[in-house]
Amino acid sequence: MNEMQQLSLTPDGTPEQAQAVGLHYEIVAAAQAAANSLLALGRKLKQMRDTGGYKRLGFETFADYTEQAVGIRQRQAYNYISVVENVPARLVEENAAAGVTKLALLGRMAPADQREVAGQDLANITVTELKQIIEEKNGLAEQLSLLQEETKPAAEAESTEVDLDALRAEALEQARAEVADAHQKELDSALKAQADRLAADHADDLRRNTETTRREVQEAAEQHAAELVEQAAENARRKQAEKDSAALEQARKTAQKLQLSASEESIRFSVLFEQLQNAAQEMMDLVDALTAAGRTEEAARLRTALAGALQALAGQLPGGAGV
């Protein structure tokens, strides 16, 4: 694959050029993310296969695990692993758009042939064409290998093996870093979601408790006020009955004391006069009870009405001019 051209804005670049360059960098970033995702999946599948972790999850074979738990066929899973094992990460990043199947086929060739074929725009080569190229390349490579096998220095073989170990170690370290980063992101997201839920639940509980307390206080106040009014009315009725009885007896005694003719009119007047005084006192007691219950506006209206009634009554007497 040809070297990717580096783009930059010139001082006199147009807004359209700036927009195009920005879009280009977004595409490059998306391609890089796709390549990283492909490599990460391949490394994780390889680790699961090599460590036998799928058995600890209850699966007898790696194929059962990939097809039932991951949702991909065994051949596809091995394609991802083959790419990680046989294709350099840089070639994967540069040709991620070609897809994992072509990259896995590319891994069947020697490194030099991989770079040559990838440079022919791997994304636009069909799978059939790529298989034919691989057969041709591998046929030539096999012949060269037979010719060079006896003359190949042992030191070169050792050097190649050391380089492969270094690449494996680097890939393992990168995979561990990716796993740790993904785990931390998931943990942070879960903690934030839990904190948001707790805050929302606390706010709802506080609002419900406040409304319940306000309603209970209001109901208790209204009940207490009603009890005070009822108690005041009962006290007034009891006092009135006592006063009526005492007034009648007092009227009789007064009539006898004054040696009145004990006429029915005189006695009746004395009783009514006492009743008038007692009724006025009872009404004042009711006004006081309303005031004690906090119903001051209602108490003020009743007090004004009583005063007006007494004034009107005084004004009806012969020669009266009001109170």
Side-chain angles (χ1 to χ4, degrees):
M1 186 174 181
N2 296 332
E3 196 73 25
M4 185 174 68
Q5 183 178 359
Q6 298 295 324
L7 301 181
S8 60
L9 285 174
T10 58
D12 57 346
T14 64
E16 290 78 7
Q17 182 189 14
Q19 183 178 5
V21 170
L23 179 59
H24 163 71
Y25 285 132
E26 293 177 1
I27 293 173
V28 170
Q32 182 66 42
N36 291 339
S37 177
L38 189 152
L39 288 170
L41 178 56
R43 290 163 181 161
K44 291 175 174 60
L45 287 171
K46 182 178 185 302
Q47 182 181 3
M48 180 65 77
R49 182 200 64 182
D50 294 347
T51 61
Y54 56 88
K55 295 180 180 179
R56 289 185 286 275
L57 299 177
F59 297 94
E60 294 184 1
T61 65
F62 183 65
D64 292 339
Y65 165 73
T66 58
E67 293 181 1
Q68 298 175 22
V70 183
I72 59 176
R73 295 186 179 276
Q74 180 185 11
R75 177 183 296 179
Q76 189 75 352
Y78 276 106
N79 280 342
Y80 281 102
I81 295 175
S82 176
V83 170
V84 172
E85 291 180 333
N86 302 309
V87 182
R90 182 176 179 181
L91 277 183
V92 175
E93 294 173 356
E94 293 175 351
N95 297 275
V100 67
T101 301
K102 292 182 182 179
L103 288 171
L105 290 173
L106 193 67
R108 299 179 183 178
M109 295 187 292
D113 292 335
Q114 290 179 7
R115 291 191 294 271
E116 179 183 349
V117 174
Q120 300 176 15
D121 195 358
L122 185 62
N124 291 323
I125 299 177
T126 65
V127 173
T128 302
E129 293 172 343
L130 182 57
K131 288 181 178 179
Q132 184 177 357
I133 294 173
I134 291 172
E135 291 178 359
E136 295 174 356
K137 292 288 184 182
N138 286 346
L140 293 175
E142 184 176 356
Q143 295 176 9
L144 290 175
S145 177
L146 292 174
L147 293 173
Q148 297 176 356
E149 185 66 29
E150 295 181 357
T151 60
K152 183 178 181 180
E156 181 181 351
E158 293 177 0
S159 174
T160 302
E161 183 176 358
V162 170
D163 290 341
L164 289 175
D165 289 341
L167 288 175
R168 290 191 183 96
E170 180 182 356
L172 180 59
E173 184 63 27
Q174 182 176 355
R176 288 174 178 170
E178 290 174 354
V179 170
D181 182 63
H183 178 70
Q184 185 62 43
K185 289 181 179 178
E186 291 177 359
L187 180 60
D188 292 342
S189 178
L191 289 175
K192 183 179 182 302
Q194 181 66 15
D196 292 342
R197 285 194 298 270
L198 289 175
D201 292 343
H202 179 69
D204 291 340
D205 291 340
L206 182 60
R207 183 171 55 255
R208 285 193 295 268
N209 291 338
T210 301
E211 292 175 354
T212 300
T213 302
R214 183 185 301 111
R215 184 171 58 253
E216 291 176 351
V217 170
Q218 183 177 357
E219 291 176 354
E222 292 177 352
Q223 182 178 358
H224 181 63
E227 291 174 353
L228 288 176
V229 172
E230 180 63 25
Q231 184 178 1
E234 180 62 27
N235 291 338
R237 285 192 294 270
R238 187 176 62 255
K239 290 180 180 180
Q240 182 62 40
E242 295 174 354
K243 290 177 181 180
D244 289 345
S245 177
L248 180 58
E249 184 62 26
Q250 182 64 32
R252 290 174 179 172
K253 291 180 179 180
T254 302
Q256 293 176 359
K257 184 178 180 180
L258 296 177
Q259 296 180 353
L260 295 177
S261 60
S263 66
E264 182 179 353
E265 290 79 1
S266 297
I267 296 174
R268 183 174 177 77
F269 179 86
S270 298
V271 172
L272 293 175
F273 184 77
E274 291 292 335
Q275 289 179 349
L276 176 61
Q277 289 183 316
N278 293 335
Q281 185 60 46
E282 182 179 357
M283 286 188 283
M284 290 303 300
D285 291 341
L286 288 173
V287 171
D288 292 340
L290 290 173
T291 302
R295 298 159 62 177
T296 55
E297 293 183 2
E298 185 177 358
R301 289 197 301 270
L302 296 180
R303 184 181 294 108
T304 301
L306 177 59
L310 292 175
Q311 290 177 352
L313 180 62
Q316 294 176 8
L317 294 176
V323 180

